[in-house]
Amino acid sequence: MAPLTAEGVLAMLRTLATNHEITILKLSEPISAAVTQLQDPHQRTSDISTSSLDATTPSSLEADLTHYRELFAKLRFSYVEQVTKEKFIRAIVGDPPLIVTPQENVDLEKENMEAKATLKALKAEVASMVADLEEKAKDLSRRYERVKVETIRLEELPGKIVELENAIAELRKTQSVGSNPNPELNLPLAKTSDLVESKKQRRAELDRQLEQLQSQVPRKKKELDRLRAELQPLETKRHNSVAAASEARRRKEAALGGVQHDLEERGRWFRAAETGLKQALEI
């Protein structure tokens, strides 16, 4: 058996949706048809008109059900009352009159009790069946809505698959092995995962070191402030010393009257003469 594809599953769902359309209107057609056939055209309709069946909704069905339950209870009470009166009148006016003995009343009461018990059990069974059917109907409704949503997603899935396949083919075309100058970008998946793990470990180590250094920043800052405070007087003293030395040198040169400059000129002349004599005598 060939494996199912998205197109095959989508085709099966469309076929099922076409052949088995589930709507409240479809489910209510047998009820509305029966009501139309049984209704006398000359008879007055109830407070809730059967025209509501033309636009059936869950809320309208619930309202109709409640209305007909109340109406049936009233009709049943009227029927029992009329039948009882009719039997009583016939028993009185009959020839000979119908006389019921106490024993017959006891037997009828016993049969009536048994019939009531049976009817009560049947009603409980029917109520349980109705509750189960309602729960199953709600569950089926939720599943049906979920299937509709998933069907819409499934319809969009083939197009997305084609787009992804085209994107993968394009990437394989443009990013061949060795085309990237960074060799780490051409590694297979396993080695790439190992590389990513090692990078993560390295980053965690750097984060740990950075955290340690950041914890030392306040202490280093305090030490720097202390050193600056100690250096400030020394810096001031240095500036004062340099200024004093410069002033002393200026005063000394002024006192010598330019003798130092003459001595420098004579020294350069003697060095040049010495060099010339050494070259002449080949020393």
Side-chain angles (χ1 to χ4, degrees), residues 121-149:
L122 291 174
K123 283 184 178 181
E125 184 180 356
V126 170
S128 177
M129 291 175 62
V130 169
D132 292 341
L133 289 175
E134 288 180 354
E135 186 63 29
K136 289 182 179 179
K138 291 178 181 179
D139 182 59
L140 287 174
S141 177
R142 288 191 295 267
R143 292 171 61 184
Y144 182 70
E145 292 297 329
R146 187 166 61 251
V147 168
K148 287 173 65 177
V149 174

PDB file of all heavy atoms in Angstrom, residues 121-149:
ATOM      1  N   ALA A 121     -38.731   3.990  35.293  1.00  0.00           N
ATOM      2  CA  ALA A 121     -37.450   3.395  34.897  1.00  0.00           C
ATOM      3  C   ALA A 121     -37.139   3.693  33.435  1.00  0.00           C
ATOM      4  O   ALA A 121     -36.001   4.018  33.070  1.00  0.00           O
ATOM      5  CB  ALA A 121     -37.470   1.889  35.151  1.00  0.00           C
ATOM      6  N   LEU A 122     -38.196   3.592  32.582  1.00  0.00           N
ATOM      7  CA  LEU A 122     -37.997   3.897  31.166  1.00  0.00           C
ATOM      8  C   LEU A 122     -37.627   5.359  30.958  1.00  0.00           C
ATOM      9  O   LEU A 122     -36.789   5.700  30.120  1.00  0.00           O
ATOM     10  CB  LEU A 122     -39.261   3.538  30.379  1.00  0.00           C
ATOM     11  CG  LEU A 122     -39.583   2.041  30.266  1.00  0.00           C
ATOM     12  CD1 LEU A 122     -40.940   1.836  29.576  1.00  0.00           C
ATOM     13  CD2 LEU A 122     -38.489   1.317  29.486  1.00  0.00           C
ATOM     14  N   LYS A 123     -38.286   6.238  31.722  1.00  0.00           N
ATOM     15  CA  LYS A 123     -37.960   7.665  31.609  1.00  0.00           C
ATOM     16  C   LYS A 123     -36.504   7.930  32.018  1.00  0.00           C
ATOM     17  O   LYS A 123     -35.797   8.712  31.365  1.00  0.00           O
ATOM     18  CB  LYS A 123     -38.901   8.479  32.489  1.00  0.00           C
ATOM     19  CG  LYS A 123     -40.297   8.662  31.918  1.00  0.00           C
ATOM     20  CD  LYS A 123     -41.130   9.550  32.815  1.00  0.00           C
ATOM     21  CE  LYS A 123     -42.522   9.795  32.226  1.00  0.00           C
ATOM     22  NZ  LYS A 123     -43.332  10.683  33.096  1.00  0.00           N
ATOM     23  N   ALA A 124     -36.065   7.276  33.102  1.00  0.00           N
ATOM     24  CA  ALA A 124     -34.675   7.453  33.539  1.00  0.00           C
ATOM     25  C   ALA A 124     -33.698   6.940  32.487  1.00  0.00           C
ATOM     26  O   ALA A 124     -32.666   7.567  32.196  1.00  0.00           O
ATOM     27  CB  ALA A 124     -34.446   6.733  34.867  1.00  0.00           C
ATOM     28  N   GLU A 125     -34.067   5.784  31.871  1.00  0.00           N
ATOM     29  CA  GLU A 125     -33.208   5.241  30.819  1.00  0.00           C
ATOM     30  C   GLU A 125     -33.151   6.171  29.618  1.00  0.00           C
ATOM     31  O   GLU A 125     -32.077   6.417  29.033  1.00  0.00           O
ATOM     32  CB  GLU A 125     -33.726   3.864  30.409  1.00  0.00           C
ATOM     33  CG  GLU A 125     -32.849   3.174  29.385  1.00  0.00           C
ATOM     34  CD  GLU A 125     -33.394   1.806  29.014  1.00  0.00           C
ATOM     35  OE1 GLU A 125     -34.407   1.388  29.620  1.00  0.00           O
ATOM     36  OE2 GLU A 125     -32.807   1.162  28.126  1.00  0.00           O
ATOM     37  N   VAL A 126     -34.328   6.712  29.246  1.00  0.00           N
ATOM     38  CA  VAL A 126     -34.365   7.639  28.107  1.00  0.00           C
ATOM     39  C   VAL A 126     -33.578   8.911  28.416  1.00  0.00           C
ATOM     40  O   VAL A 126     -32.840   9.438  27.570  1.00  0.00           O
ATOM     41  CB  VAL A 126     -35.829   7.967  27.746  1.00  0.00           C
ATOM     42  CG1 VAL A 126     -35.883   9.106  26.739  1.00  0.00           C
ATOM     43  CG2 VAL A 126     -36.526   6.739  27.183  1.00  0.00           C
ATOM     44  N   ALA A 127     -33.719   9.422  29.659  1.00  0.00           N
ATOM     45  CA  ALA A 127     -32.973  10.627  30.037  1.00  0.00           C
ATOM     46  C   ALA A 127     -31.469  10.383  29.982  1.00  0.00           C
ATOM     47  O   ALA A 127     -30.693  11.232  29.530  1.00  0.00           O
ATOM     48  CB  ALA A 127     -33.385  11.077  31.437  1.00  0.00           C
ATOM     49  N   SER A 128     -31.038   9.176  30.435  1.00  0.00           N
ATOM     50  CA  SER A 128     -29.618   8.844  30.362  1.00  0.00           C
ATOM     51  C   SER A 128     -29.141   8.753  28.924  1.00  0.00           C
ATOM     52  O   SER A 128     -28.055   9.246  28.576  1.00  0.00           O
ATOM     53  CB  SER A 128     -29.370   7.525  31.090  1.00  0.00           C
ATOM     54  OG  SER A 128     -28.020   7.137  30.980  1.00  0.00           O
ATOM     55  N   MET A 129     -29.991   8.119  28.075  1.00  0.00           N
ATOM     56  CA  MET A 129     -29.629   8.027  26.661  1.00  0.00           C
ATOM     57  C   MET A 129     -29.544   9.406  26.020  1.00  0.00           C
ATOM     58  O   MET A 129     -28.632   9.693  25.227  1.00  0.00           O
ATOM     59  CB  MET A 129     -30.652   7.155  25.930  1.00  0.00           C
ATOM     60  CG  MET A 129     -30.613   5.687  26.304  1.00  0.00           C
ATOM     61  SD  MET A 129     -31.941   4.734  25.517  1.00  0.00           S
ATOM     62  CE  MET A 129     -31.523   4.968  23.804  1.00  0.00           C
ATOM     63  N   VAL A 130     -30.491  10.289  26.366  1.00  0.00           N
ATOM     64  CA  VAL A 130     -30.470  11.645  25.808  1.00  0.00           C
ATOM     65  C   VAL A 130     -29.218  12.397  26.256  1.00  0.00           C
ATOM     66  O   VAL A 130     -28.569  13.102  25.466  1.00  0.00           O
ATOM     67  CB  VAL A 130     -31.749  12.410  26.219  1.00  0.00           C
ATOM     68  CG1 VAL A 130     -31.628  13.878  25.878  1.00  0.00           C
ATOM     69  CG2 VAL A 130     -32.966  11.805  25.533  1.00  0.00           C
ATOM     70  N   ALA A 131     -28.848  12.243  27.550  1.00  0.00           N
ATOM     71  CA  ALA A 131     -27.636  12.908  28.048  1.00  0.00           C
ATOM     72  C   ALA A 131     -26.392  12.388  27.326  1.00  0.00           C
ATOM     73  O   ALA A 131     -25.509  13.165  26.947  1.00  0.00           O
ATOM     74  CB  ALA A 131     -27.510  12.698  29.558  1.00  0.00           C
ATOM     75  N   ASP A 132     -26.338  11.050  27.126  1.00  0.00           N
ATOM     76  CA  ASP A 132     -25.199  10.479  26.403  1.00  0.00           C
ATOM     77  C   ASP A 132     -25.152  10.987  24.971  1.00  0.00           C
ATOM     78  O   ASP A 132     -24.076  11.299  24.435  1.00  0.00           O
ATOM     79  CB  ASP A 132     -25.284   8.947  26.413  1.00  0.00           C
ATOM     80  CG  ASP A 132     -25.064   8.387  27.809  1.00  0.00           C
ATOM     81  OD1 ASP A 132     -24.515   9.108  28.653  1.00  0.00           O
ATOM     82  OD2 ASP A 132     -25.471   7.221  28.052  1.00  0.00           O
ATOM     83  N   LEU A 133     -26.331  11.048  24.334  1.00  0.00           N
ATOM     84  CA  LEU A 133     -26.378  11.543  22.952  1.00  0.00           C
ATOM     85  C   LEU A 133     -25.954  13.002  22.863  1.00  0.00           C
ATOM     86  O   LEU A 133     -25.248  13.402  21.924  1.00  0.00           O
ATOM     87  CB  LEU A 133     -27.794  11.361  22.388  1.00  0.00           C
ATOM     88  CG  LEU A 133     -28.222   9.925  22.091  1.00  0.00           C
ATOM     89  CD1 LEU A 133     -29.687   9.880  21.664  1.00  0.00           C
ATOM     90  CD2 LEU A 133     -27.353   9.324  20.985  1.00  0.00           C
ATOM     91  N   GLU A 134     -26.384  13.810  23.836  1.00  0.00           N
ATOM     92  CA  GLU A 134     -25.976  15.218  23.827  1.00  0.00           C
ATOM     93  C   GLU A 134     -24.467  15.353  23.992  1.00  0.00           C
ATOM     94  O   GLU A 134     -23.820  16.156  23.312  1.00  0.00           O
ATOM     95  CB  GLU A 134     -26.701  15.971  24.942  1.00  0.00           C
ATOM     96  CG  GLU A 134     -28.186  16.199  24.678  1.00  0.00           C
ATOM     97  CD  GLU A 134     -28.859  16.954  25.815  1.00  0.00           C
ATOM     98  OE1 GLU A 134     -28.186  17.179  26.847  1.00  0.00           O
ATOM     99  OE2 GLU A 134     -30.032  17.313  25.676  1.00  0.00           O
ATOM    100  N   GLU A 135     -23.900  14.547  24.914  1.00  0.00           N
ATOM    101  CA  GLU A 135     -22.447  14.605  25.121  1.00  0.00           C
ATOM    102  C   GLU A 135     -21.701  14.162  23.868  1.00  0.00           C
ATOM    103  O   GLU A 135     -20.713  14.785  23.455  1.00  0.00           O
ATOM    104  CB  GLU A 135     -22.071  13.722  26.308  1.00  0.00           C
ATOM    105  CG  GLU A 135     -20.603  13.818  26.714  1.00  0.00           C
ATOM    106  CD  GLU A 135     -20.222  15.191  27.187  1.00  0.00           C
ATOM    107  OE1 GLU A 135     -21.109  15.908  27.720  1.00  0.00           O
ATOM    108  OE2 GLU A 135     -19.039  15.567  27.031  1.00  0.00           O
ATOM    109  N   LYS A 136     -22.195  13.076  23.237  1.00  0.00           N
ATOM    110  CA  LYS A 136     -21.543  12.601  22.008  1.00  0.00           C
ATOM    111  C   LYS A 136     -21.703  13.617  20.885  1.00  0.00           C
ATOM    112  O   LYS A 136     -20.778  13.822  20.078  1.00  0.00           O
ATOM    113  CB  LYS A 136     -22.140  11.255  21.598  1.00  0.00           C
ATOM    114  CG  LYS A 136     -21.748  10.101  22.508  1.00  0.00           C
ATOM    115  CD  LYS A 136     -22.331   8.789  22.024  1.00  0.00           C
ATOM    116  CE  LYS A 136     -21.925   7.631  22.931  1.00  0.00           C
ATOM    117  NZ  LYS A 136     -22.495   6.341  22.484  1.00  0.00           N
ATOM    118  N   ALA A 137     -22.865  14.270  20.830  1.00  0.00           N
ATOM    119  CA  ALA A 137     -23.084  15.283  19.795  1.00  0.00           C
ATOM    120  C   ALA A 137     -22.129  16.461  19.970  1.00  0.00           C
ATOM    121  O   ALA A 137     -21.546  16.961  18.999  1.00  0.00           O
ATOM    122  CB  ALA A 137     -24.534  15.767  19.830  1.00  0.00           C
ATOM    123  N   LYS A 138     -21.948  16.898  21.228  1.00  0.00           N
ATOM    124  CA  LYS A 138     -21.011  18.007  21.475  1.00  0.00           C
ATOM    125  C   LYS A 138     -19.585  17.607  21.125  1.00  0.00           C
ATOM    126  O   LYS A 138     -18.835  18.382  20.529  1.00  0.00           O
ATOM    127  CB  LYS A 138     -21.091  18.433  22.939  1.00  0.00           C
ATOM    128  CG  LYS A 138     -22.404  19.107  23.303  1.00  0.00           C
ATOM    129  CD  LYS A 138     -22.442  19.459  24.785  1.00  0.00           C
ATOM    130  CE  LYS A 138     -23.775  20.113  25.159  1.00  0.00           C
ATOM    131  NZ  LYS A 138     -23.841  20.437  26.609  1.00  0.00           N
ATOM    132  N   ASP A 139     -19.219  16.360  21.496  1.00  0.00           N
ATOM    133  CA  ASP A 139     -17.873  15.890  21.180  1.00  0.00           C
ATOM    134  C   ASP A 139     -17.666  15.800  19.672  1.00  0.00           C
ATOM    135  O   ASP A 139     -16.622  16.207  19.143  1.00  0.00           O
ATOM    136  CB  ASP A 139     -17.645  14.527  21.837  1.00  0.00           C
ATOM    137  CG  ASP A 139     -16.245  13.995  21.579  1.00  0.00           C
ATOM    138  OD1 ASP A 139     -15.275  14.673  21.954  1.00  0.00           O
ATOM    139  OD2 ASP A 139     -16.118  12.904  20.994  1.00  0.00           O
ATOM    140  N   LEU A 140     -18.673  15.283  18.968  1.00  0.00           N
ATOM    141  CA  LEU A 140     -18.576  15.194  17.513  1.00  0.00           C
ATOM    142  C   LEU A 140     -18.498  16.580  16.877  1.00  0.00           C
ATOM    143  O   LEU A 140     -17.778  16.790  15.887  1.00  0.00           O
ATOM    144  CB  LEU A 140     -19.775  14.424  16.956  1.00  0.00           C
ATOM    145  CG  LEU A 140     -19.779  12.905  17.189  1.00  0.00           C
ATOM    146  CD1 LEU A 140     -21.083  12.297  16.715  1.00  0.00           C
ATOM    147  CD2 LEU A 140     -18.601  12.244  16.470  1.00  0.00           C
ATOM    148  N   SER A 141     -19.241  17.531  17.448  1.00  0.00           N
ATOM    149  CA  SER A 141     -19.197  18.896  16.919  1.00  0.00           C
ATOM    150  C   SER A 141     -17.802  19.496  17.076  1.00  0.00           C
ATOM    151  O   SER A 141     -17.270  20.115  16.153  1.00  0.00           O
ATOM    152  CB  SER A 141     -20.234  19.764  17.633  1.00  0.00           C
ATOM    153  OG  SER A 141     -20.168  21.097  17.187  1.00  0.00           O
ATOM    154  N   ARG A 142     -17.201  19.285  18.269  1.00  0.00           N
ATOM    155  CA  ARG A 142     -15.851  19.802  18.478  1.00  0.00           C
ATOM    156  C   ARG A 142     -14.854  19.131  17.543  1.00  0.00           C
ATOM    157  O   ARG A 142     -13.980  19.801  16.950  1.00  0.00           O
ATOM    158  CB  ARG A 142     -15.435  19.567  19.935  1.00  0.00           C
ATOM    159  CG  ARG A 142     -16.149  20.463  20.933  1.00  0.00           C
ATOM    160  CD  ARG A 142     -15.494  20.369  22.304  1.00  0.00           C
ATOM    161  NE  ARG A 142     -15.640  19.054  22.872  1.00  0.00           N
ATOM    162  CZ  ARG A 142     -16.627  18.695  23.691  1.00  0.00           C
ATOM    163  NH1 ARG A 142     -17.568  19.571  24.031  1.00  0.00           N
ATOM    164  NH2 ARG A 142     -16.692  17.467  24.189  1.00  0.00           N
ATOM    165  N   ARG A 143     -14.995  17.822  17.377  1.00  0.00           N
ATOM    166  CA  ARG A 143     -14.081  17.117  16.474  1.00  0.00           C
ATOM    167  C   ARG A 143     -14.276  17.553  15.035  1.00  0.00           C
ATOM    168  O   ARG A 143     -13.303  17.688  14.268  1.00  0.00           O
ATOM    169  CB  ARG A 143     -14.297  15.608  16.613  1.00  0.00           C
ATOM    170  CG  ARG A 143     -13.864  15.046  17.961  1.00  0.00           C
ATOM    171  CD  ARG A 143     -14.283  13.597  18.143  1.00  0.00           C
ATOM    172  NE  ARG A 143     -13.688  12.737  17.125  1.00  0.00           N
ATOM    173  CZ  ARG A 143     -13.953  11.433  16.996  1.00  0.00           C
ATOM    174  NH1 ARG A 143     -14.805  10.862  17.850  1.00  0.00           N
ATOM    175  NH2 ARG A 143     -13.383  10.719  16.065  1.00  0.00           N
ATOM    176  N   TYR A 144     -15.524  17.804  14.653  1.00  0.00           N
ATOM    177  CA  TYR A 144     -15.804  18.242  13.290  1.00  0.00           C
ATOM    178  C   TYR A 144     -15.189  19.616  13.022  1.00  0.00           C
ATOM    179  O   TYR A 144     -14.591  19.849  11.961  1.00  0.00           O
ATOM    180  CB  TYR A 144     -17.314  18.272  13.071  1.00  0.00           C
ATOM    181  CG  TYR A 144     -17.731  18.673  11.673  1.00  0.00           C
ATOM    182  CD1 TYR A 144     -17.505  17.826  10.590  1.00  0.00           C
ATOM    183  CD2 TYR A 144     -18.337  19.897  11.436  1.00  0.00           C
ATOM    184  CE1 TYR A 144     -17.879  18.189   9.312  1.00  0.00           C
ATOM    185  CE2 TYR A 144     -18.717  20.274  10.156  1.00  0.00           C
ATOM    186  CZ  TYR A 144     -18.489  19.408   9.092  1.00  0.00           C
ATOM    187  OH  TYR A 144     -18.855  19.782   7.830  1.00  0.00           O
ATOM    188  N   GLU A 145     -15.314  20.528  14.004  1.00  0.00           N
ATOM    189  CA  GLU A 145     -14.715  21.855  13.843  1.00  0.00           C
ATOM    190  C   GLU A 145     -13.192  21.750  13.769  1.00  0.00           C
ATOM    191  O   GLU A 145     -12.547  22.456  12.981  1.00  0.00           O
ATOM    192  CB  GLU A 145     -15.122  22.758  15.009  1.00  0.00           C
ATOM    193  CG  GLU A 145     -16.598  23.121  15.024  1.00  0.00           C
ATOM    194  CD  GLU A 145     -17.012  23.919  13.803  1.00  0.00           C
ATOM    195  OE1 GLU A 145     -16.166  24.665  13.280  1.00  0.00           O
ATOM    196  OE2 GLU A 145     -18.173  23.786  13.373  1.00  0.00           O
ATOM    197  N   ARG A 146     -12.618  20.859  14.599  1.00  0.00           N
ATOM    198  CA  ARG A 146     -11.172  20.675  14.560  1.00  0.00           C
ATOM    199  C   ARG A 146     -10.725  20.108  13.215  1.00  0.00           C
ATOM    200  O   ARG A 146      -9.692  20.527  12.656  1.00  0.00           O
ATOM    201  CB  ARG A 146     -10.740  19.751  15.691  1.00  0.00           C
ATOM    202  CG  ARG A 146      -9.226  19.645  15.831  1.00  0.00           C
ATOM    203  CD  ARG A 146      -8.813  19.007  17.136  1.00  0.00           C
ATOM    204  NE  ARG A 146      -9.316  17.657  17.278  1.00  0.00           N
ATOM    205  CZ  ARG A 146     -10.270  17.288  18.120  1.00  0.00           C
ATOM    206  NH1 ARG A 146     -10.835  18.179  18.908  1.00  0.00           N
ATOM    207  NH2 ARG A 146     -10.668  16.036  18.209  1.00  0.00           N
ATOM    208  N   VAL A 147     -11.517  19.179  12.664  1.00  0.00           N
ATOM    209  CA  VAL A 147     -11.184  18.617  11.352  1.00  0.00           C
ATOM    210  C   VAL A 147     -11.264  19.693  10.271  1.00  0.00           C
ATOM    211  O   VAL A 147     -10.429  19.742   9.348  1.00  0.00           O
ATOM    212  CB  VAL A 147     -12.123  17.437  11.023  1.00  0.00           C
ATOM    213  CG1 VAL A 147     -11.998  17.033   9.557  1.00  0.00           C
ATOM    214  CG2 VAL A 147     -11.807  16.242  11.903  1.00  0.00           C
ATOM    215  N   LYS A 148     -12.240  20.591  10.373  1.00  0.00           N
ATOM    216  CA  LYS A 148     -12.345  21.683   9.399  1.00  0.00           C
ATOM    217  C   LYS A 148     -11.120  22.588   9.444  1.00  0.00           C
ATOM    218  O   LYS A 148     -10.569  22.973   8.406  1.00  0.00           O
ATOM    219  CB  LYS A 148     -13.617  22.496   9.666  1.00  0.00           C
ATOM    220  CG  LYS A 148     -14.897  21.776   9.257  1.00  0.00           C
ATOM    221  CD  LYS A 148     -16.122  22.553   9.688  1.00  0.00           C
ATOM    222  CE  LYS A 148     -16.221  23.873   8.988  1.00  0.00           C
ATOM    223  NZ  LYS A 148     -17.462  24.605   9.370  1.00  0.00           N
ATOM    224  N   VAL A 149     -10.687  22.913  10.669  1.00  0.00           N
ATOM    225  CA  VAL A 149      -9.497  23.769  10.803  1.00  0.00           C
ATOM    226  C   VAL A 149      -8.268  23.058  10.257  1.00  0.00           C
ATOM    227  O   VAL A 149      -7.457  23.655   9.520  1.00  0.00           O
ATOM    228  CB  VAL A 149      -9.299  24.166  12.279  1.00  0.00           C
ATOM    229  CG1 VAL A 149      -7.991  24.916  12.456  1.00  0.00           C
ATOM    230  CG2 VAL A 149     -10.464  25.016  12.763  1.00  0.00           C
TER     231      VAL A 149
END
